[in-house]
Amino acid sequence: MTARIIKRAAALGVIAAMGAGAALADYDDDELVIDGVKIATKVPAPPGHPLPEIVSGWRFRSDETQALEADDFENPAMVAVDYGQSLWDAVDGEAGKSCASCHGDVEESMKGVRAGYPKWNEKAGRPFTLENQINACRTENMKAEPWKWESREMLAMTALVGKQARGYPMKIRKDGPMAEWIEKGKELYYTRFGQLDMACSNCHEDNYGKMIRADHLSQGQINGFPTYRFKWQGLGSLHRRFSGCMKNIRAEPFKRGSDEFVALEAYLAVRGEGLGIETPAVRN
Amino acid sequence: MAKIKPRVKAPKKAAVGEIIEIKTLISHPMESGQRKDSKTGERIPRKIINKFVATFEGEEVVSADLHPAVSANPYIRFEMKVPGPGELRFAWTDDDGSVYETSSKIAIA
Amino acid sequence: MKLNRRDALQLAAAGAALAALPAGALRAAEHADVEAAIAAFAGGAPVKEGGVEVEAPEIAENGNTVPISVAAEGAEAILILAAGNPNPDVATFHFGKLAVPAASTRIRLAGTQDVIAVAKFADGSFGRAARTVKVTIGGCGG
C-alpha cells in the first residue's frame, strides 16, 4: 500500500466514524436573547451558498452552555470585557494617549465595528483583523508596544470592542482588493491538510450536526470570537481555534496573524454573513 | 489594574423579608496543582481561591471552603432573606494570602 | 504459562465472585476517600439518604465547567464531593441565619461520575444524595 492510500484510508475512517453518530443530534431551535436583544443565530443562505442555512455554533451547544452565554453575568468572559474597559481608559505609550483619548466612549465609537472585520487597510496593503487594527493604533497613534496576538490584553480589548457589535449582522466588504483574499481563504477552506488529509469542509460543511466522538460538530462559524471555551478555561482568539483544528487533523498550523489565517477569517466572515455577532461567546 | 477582579450582581433595592438572589464571580485561574507546563514539563503549583465569605452588616450570610475542583473564574450563587437596609460585603481568599473584596448596598423599597 | 485445572477453577471462581459484587459495592471500595470525607464532615454521625437536592446536567459538554446546584431545607452546611475526581473534595457551603440553604457553582469533573451532596442540619442530623453526570470526551472539543 502506498503512503497516499494509507492516508486516504485514515481519512475515510474518520468520516465513517462521524457518520455513525449522524442520527444522534442536530442543532436546536432555541433563540438567543441577551439583555432583551435577539441575536440572529440562524439565517437563510443566499443562492449559491454552499450551506442550506447559516447556523451559529451556539445552536449546537447544550442548554447549560447556551444559558451561560445568554446572561452577561453568567458569561465568564465578561471579566475580560471589564479588564478591556480599564485598558481602554488607560494611558499607554510615548504619545500619552489612551484608546479613549481618540475614540471616547467605547459603547458609542465601537458600535457595530467588529461586524465589518476583517477590513482592507490601504496603508498596510492587506486586510486588517481587529487585532491588526488595535496594534496599528497602539504603535502608530499611541506610540505604545504592540500586544501579542493571544495576550490577555489583546483578548480583553477584542472582547470589549467585539461586544459593542453584539447582535449586528456580520458583513464585511467583499469588493476591491478584499475579493482576492476571500478567494484565497475559500481555497484554503477546501484544501486537505495534515496526516488525516482533511479540509475544513469535511467537518464543517459535510458533517455539521453530527457527532465527532462525543462532540457535536458545528458549521465552524466565527461570529462569537474571541470566545470563552471551557476547554481553554478562558478566552481565546479565532486564530487559536484555527490552530486547534489544524492540530486535530495533525497538520502543522499556520501562525496567528499569518496571511493564511487572515484569508481564512475573511472567507469565513463572508460564509457566515448575516449571523449576529455574539462576542464574547461561550462554547465547550 | 489588578489581575484578579470580582463581579457581584445583587439588587439595589428590596423589601424587608424579601428573598433576593446574589451572584458572584471572580476572575481567577484556580490552578489545580495537577497540571504540568506543556513546555518545561514541570508541575504548575496550586493557586486557588480557597475561601469565599459573604456578610450582611457584619453577619455571615454564606461562606464556602473551595477546593481545586471548582472551575476557573469561580462562580457562586446564593439567596438571602433581607432583614432591612444594609451592606453586603464579599471576600475571596487566595492561596497566597491575598484577599479580594467588594461590596453592594441594599436599600429598602 | 500453562493453566492447570486448579488454576482455571480458581480463576473462574474469582471471576464469578467479582461479577456477583454489586456495582455500588465496587464503587464504594474504590472511593474509600469519599466515605472518609463524609465521615469527617459528619463527625462519625449516621448519614441518612435524602433531605438534600443535587442538580446537575445529565450530560456535561466539557468537564472543566459543570454547573451544579445544591439545596437542603434546614441545613447549616452542605458538603459537595465529586466521587470520581483524583481528589473528591469540591466545596463546603456554610449558611447563616439570613441565607436560604442553597447554592450554585461550577465545578470540574475528571470524567463521568457521581456528584455527592451531604447536608448538615441544625438538629445535628445528616442527609446525603448523589447525581450522576456524564462527561463527554470531546472530538475536537478535547
Side-chain angles (χ1 to χ4, degrees):
Chain A
M1 216 197 266
T2 67
R4 188 175 167 75
I5 294 171
I6 294 169
K7 267 205 294 193
R8 280 281 169 203
L12 283 173
V14 169
I15 303 288
M18 289 193 286
L24 279 174
D26 212 331
Y27 59 85
D28 68 18
D29 288 326
D30 295 342
E31 291 288 355
L32 175 58
V33 179
I34 309 177
D35 273 348
V37 179
K38 190 181 146 186
I39 294 173
T41 49
K42 185 178 146 182
V43 294
H49 197 284
L51 298 166
E53 69 266 284
I54 301 170
V55 187
S56 161
W58 184 82
R59 294 267 191 139
F60 294 83
R61 303 278 55 96
S62 72
D63 287 350
E64 289 85 9
T65 308
Q66 287 181 337
L68 291 198
E69 186 179 320
D71 179 329
D72 278 350
F73 191 87
E74 305 270 335
N75 184 339
M78 289 303 164
V79 287
V81 172
D82 285 353
Y83 180 47
Q85 181 66 58
S86 69
L87 291 170
W88 179 269
D89 296 324
V91 170
D92 195 10
E94 286 167 26
K97 288 183 189 170
S98 69
C99 304
S101 313
C102 295
H103 298 289
D105 184 351
V106 68
E107 291 185 12
E108 287 304 317
S109 60
M110 293 297 134
K111 222 179 240 177
V113 165
R114 144 83 165 91
Y117 275 81
K119 194 176 179 179
W120 184 255
N121 184 289
E122 198 53 55
K123 199 174 156 195
R126 67 197 309 275
F128 264 16
T129 66
L130 205 49
E131 289 90 345
N132 295 140
Q133 182 57 57
I134 289 166
N135 269 344
C137 258
R138 288 184 59 76
T139 54
E140 290 163 29
N141 302 328
M142 297 167 72
K143 307 285 176 214
E145 287 293 309
W147 283 324
K148 289 211 168 88
W149 200 274
E150 207 67 42
S151 64
R152 203 169 154 266
E153 289 78 13
M154 182 60 92
L155 290 168
M157 188 56 73
T158 50
L160 172 74
V161 172
K163 181 173 174 264
Q164 312 312 323
R166 209 165 59 179
Y168 282 76
M170 196 156 63
K171 189 173 172 56
I172 68 164
R173 288 279 300 267
K174 291 176 278 194
D175 54 353
M178 281 305 288
E180 198 185 311
W181 282 76
I182 292 163
E183 194 51 39
K184 188 179 159 199
K186 184 177 180 181
E187 246 178 71
L188 282 165
Y189 190 87
Y190 289 102
T191 303
R192 288 173 180 271
F193 286 96
Q195 287 181 316
L196 296 189
D197 200 26
M198 288 171 79
C200 307
S201 60
N202 293 136
C203 283
H204 299 293
E205 181 171 314
D206 304 339
N207 286 290
Y208 72 86
K210 297 176 188 168
M211 304 301 284
I212 180 162
R213 291 205 278 160
D215 197 15
H216 196 189
L217 273 174
S218 75
Q219 289 185 347
Q221 298 290 356
I222 64 168
N223 55 315
F225 283 91
T227 287
Y228 189 98
R229 279 188 80 200
F230 299 154
K231 184 190 176 188
W232 297 335
Q233 300 188 65
L235 271 179
S237 72
L238 174 62
H239 293 194
R240 178 175 179 187
R241 191 67 193 90
F242 287 165
S243 288
C245 269
M246 292 193 79
K247 285 178 195 158
N248 290 149
I249 57 168
R250 296 184 197 162
E252 183 69 36
F254 298 111
K255 293 247 177 320
R256 291 178 175 88
S258 62
D259 286 358
E260 287 85 356
F261 277 173
V262 171
L264 188 58
E265 179 174 345
Y267 172 63
L268 288 175
V270 173
R271 200 178 159 90
E273 189 175 290
L275 280 178
I277 297 295
E278 293 175 33
T279 307
V282 180
R283 302 285 187 262
N284 56 318
Chain B
M1 156 82 204
K3 263 195 149 184
I4 291 158
K5 204 172 179 299
R7 277 162 69 88
V8 166
K9 190 181 183 184
K12 298 269 170 276
K13 276 186 176 180
V16 173
E18 188 183 338
I19 289 172
I20 58 168
E21 177 187 60
I22 296 147
K23 293 176 176 179
T24 72
L25 193 140
I26 186 163
S27 58
H28 195 283
M30 294 294 278
E31 197 57 67
S32 68
Q34 287 168 0
R35 291 197 319 143
K36 280 183 179 166
D37 188 299
S38 58
K39 289 194 180 86
T40 64
E42 275 172 42
R43 199 173 284 272
I44 304 169
R46 172 185 141 147
K47 188 181 185 296
I48 69 164
I49 296 287
N50 58 52
K51 183 99 186 154
F52 166 78
V53 181
T55 58
F56 183 78
E57 291 298 302
E59 181 182 346
E60 186 173 306
V61 181
V62 165
S63 70
D65 307 308
L66 307 177
H67 296 277
V70 171
S71 304
N73 306 312
Y75 166 87
I76 292 173
R77 176 197 166 279
F78 63 94
E79 291 172 343
M80 182 186 92
K81 196 171 178 178
V82 178
E87 191 183 37
L88 273 163
R89 296 193 66 85
F90 307 88
W92 291 258
T93 307
D94 196 301
D95 274 348
D96 68 10
S98 316
V99 178
Y100 311 102
E101 289 177 299
T102 188
S103 64
S104 174
K105 281 198 170 75
I106 300 173
I108 294 306
Chain C
M1 187 188 115
K2 193 171 165 259
L3 278 182
N4 60 31
R5 187 167 169 274
R6 182 186 289 173
D7 289 337
L9 277 175
Q10 274 176 347
L11 270 176
L18 208 59
L21 266 178
L26 258 183
R27 203 181 285 172
E30 272 174 28
H31 299 295
D33 45 353
V34 170
E35 296 308 318
I38 294 173
F41 179 69
V47 179
K48 296 189 300 274
E49 282 294 326
V52 53
E53 286 168 47
V54 192
E55 253 184 73
E58 196 184 324
I59 300 172
E61 283 192 297
N62 185 298
N64 274 340
T65 307
V66 183
I68 62 149
S69 296
V70 292
E73 209 169 313
E76 284 180 345
I78 301 177
L79 167 76
I80 303 169
L81 300 171
N85 276 1
N87 174 350
D89 292 325
V90 177
T92 307
F93 286 93
H94 305 272
F95 304 104
K97 287 194 175 61
L98 294 174
V100 174
S104 305
T105 185
R106 299 171 187 159
I107 68 171
R108 293 168 170 152
L109 297 176
T112 296
Q113 58 182 285
D114 282 352
V115 175
I116 300 168
V118 186
K120 178 188 184 187
F121 298 100
D123 65 3
S125 68
F126 292 84
R128 67 186 275 181
R131 185 171 284 256
T132 305
V133 180
K134 291 187 186 112
V135 176
T136 60
I137 303 158
C140 293

